[in-house]
Amino acid sequence: MLFESTYKMTIFDVVVIGAGPYGLAAAAHLRTIKGLEFRVFGEPMSFWDQNMPVGMFLRSNWTATQIADPDDQLTLEAYQAAHGVKFALPVPIEHFVGYGLWYQRQAVPNLDRRKIVRIESQPQGFGLILEDGEMVRAGRVVIAGGISSFAYRPPEFANLPSSLASHTSEHREFKEFVGKQVLVIGSGQSALESAALLHEAGAEVEIVARARHIRWLGGLFSRTIHSSLGPKLSQLLYAPTDVGPAGISQIVARPDLVRSFPRPVQDWLRKRSIRPAGARWLVARLQNVPMKLGHSAVSAVPFGERLGVRLDDGSDRKVDHMFLGTGYRVNVAKYEFLSPELARSIRCFQGFPRLREGFESSVPGLHILGAPAIWSFGPLMQFVVGTHYCSRALLRRIAGKTAGNQIPVAEPLVAEVG
Ligand SMILES: Cc1cc2nc3c(=O)[nH]c(=O)nc-3n(C[C@H](O)[C@H](O)[C@H](O)COP(=O)(O)OP(=O)(O)OC[C@H]3O[C@@H](n4cnc5c(N)ncnc54)[C@H](O)[C@@H]3O)c2cc1C
């Protein structure tokens, strides 16, 4: 046991781990519970600031890019007014980071930036250790730790040095690749946008992807619906949440409805809504980047300072670097801060926690928000827009457990973000 000592330590009702969109929105909502002692730990917006490239644009629409707040005051428009800046769609990453930091200062001013290095279960809740060794206790823990722990590196490339092969999340800037030959693996937004930025930075880029063709979002079908069939029909098929194709978008916008379907339908809705795809505004930027589609890289061997890569058609490439735009695979056991015993007691399906009402895991008092929640609450939870449903559901659960507090009633998500 890590927490056998009798040191005096701070005790909170709730600790939130993470200060990205989900942790911040959760905190802004928990603040409305009178007398609740809670603390948020984490570096605000760190994933967006450190693990996404400079020059990136958000793919989500304006409405879906707003982080939920209980008073609907902390909007992108309010941020623009407060800072005297103007921007439109697609939202540039630096403004989204600026918005998130401003949101944090308004809603969570007493944020503690320290990292949590360990959580373990205790009879009355949880014990947590901070990076500097301080210990705290909490009755409940809300994990909003994001996806950086889940970056997926295919096993055949796992042992290559990072100077030769790296995950897209490892790069903010591309200056070091000027004049270099770079192979980008993948056909999702991260792979395609990294390829565009590398090309624009002056690298010689080739994309290799298993997909036979790139799926571009906002294609002819959806543009026809949006422009030709009028706003009414378009709104009927696409929810403002901006997740999923025509029709399905309206279903996945309602996590309670998604949860009422049999498991195979839920799985189908999720997979149909978050397939690898690229934003349409990347098409022109990639027109001079060669793409080898319908093929995969099967092996890679270092040759001095370069990398030899073999594709499944037997052809070879010699490059300076390989970018793995191979996405993320949720597995909550990979959150290093969970003690092995606690990780084992979270009931999961293929790495996804099985969550119930209020995003509570099978460990009473342990809540998990964001992308790990997509198996239980649907694909919305992989995006900023999921903060609206999620933080209200969390608030209801925690307020409901706190005697004497009023339980706010959540309204349907579609009405909130529309
Ligand atoms: C390339 C790319 C583009 C994307 N574009 C979009 C988009 O356009 N629109 C959209 O809605 N979504 C987009 N997403 C998804 C996006 O990641 C999520 O919507 C969002 O970041 C989820 O927020 P979060 O709070 O769950 O996690 P994060 O934003 O990752 O935040 C995690 C937080 O946890 C903290 N943390 C982690 N471990 C610890 C610890 N041990 N102790 C303390 N704190 C800790 C971190 O410091 C951070 O503050 C994109 C993702 C990628 C990879």
Side-chain angles (χ1 to χ4, degrees), residues 17-23 41-48 52 56 58-60 64 114-116 144-147 190 328 337 370 382-385:
I17 301 177
Y22 276 85
F41 292 92
E43 200 56 52
M45 299 301 284
S46 65
F47 183 64
W48 291 85
M52 295 199 202
M56 188 190 116
L58 271 76
R59 210 174 65 174
S60 44
R114 286 175 293 176
K115 225 173 148 174
I116 302 288
I147 54 172
S190 296
Y328 298 82
F337 48 77
Q382 187 158 316
F383 301 94
V384 173
V385 72

Side-chain angles (χ1 to χ4, degrees), residues 153 157 159-167 171 176-177 181-183 300-309 319-324:
R153 220 177 145 102
F157 309 129
N159 297 321
L160 294 171
S162 59
S163 56
L164 292 176
S166 54
H167 191 267
H171 299 275
E176 62 182 294
F177 298 105
Q181 287 182 303
V182 181
L183 200 62
V301 183
F303 281 101
E305 301 209 324
R306 305 193 82 206
L307 190 67
V309 183
V319 295
D320 295 296
H321 198 86
M322 179 164 68
F323 261 67
L324 300 168

Side-chain angles (χ1 to χ4, degrees), residues 82-106:
H83 288 77
V85 289
K86 213 71 202 132
F87 54 90
L89 284 177
V91 174
I93 188 164
E94 66 274 18
H95 285 306
F96 185 64
V97 172
Y99 165 63
L101 295 176
W102 169 78
Y103 181 112
Q104 178 260 309
R105 290 192 297 274
Q106 310 297 312

Side-chain angles (χ1 to χ4, degrees), residues 16-31:
V16 178
I17 301 177
Y22 276 85
L24 295 176
H29 285 74
L30 292 180
R31 246 174 85 162

Side-chain angles (χ1 to χ4, degrees), residues 164-240:
L164 292 176
S166 54
H167 191 267
T168 43
S169 62
E170 291 173 50
H171 299 275
R172 279 195 79 233
E173 302 210 355
F174 300 99
K175 279 188 237 137
E176 62 182 294
F177 298 105
V178 177
K180 300 274 165 82
Q181 287 182 303
V182 181
L183 200 62
V184 176
I185 309 291
S187 61
Q189 179 73 11
S190 296
L192 298 172
E193 191 154 30
S194 296
L197 290 163
L198 281 160
H199 170 69
E200 287 156 5
E204 199 183 310
V205 186
E206 182 183 12
I207 296 173
V208 172
R210 267 200 308 254
R212 287 184 191 286
H213 51 260
I214 305 282
R215 196 175 287 116
W216 296 110
L217 292 170
L220 192 62
F221 179 65
S222 80
R223 273 181 291 154
T224 309
I225 290 176
H226 284 304
S227 60
S228 317
L229 302 183
K232 282 250 156 61
L233 193 56
S234 158
Q235 278 166 19
L236 215 60
L237 294 172
Y238 290 97

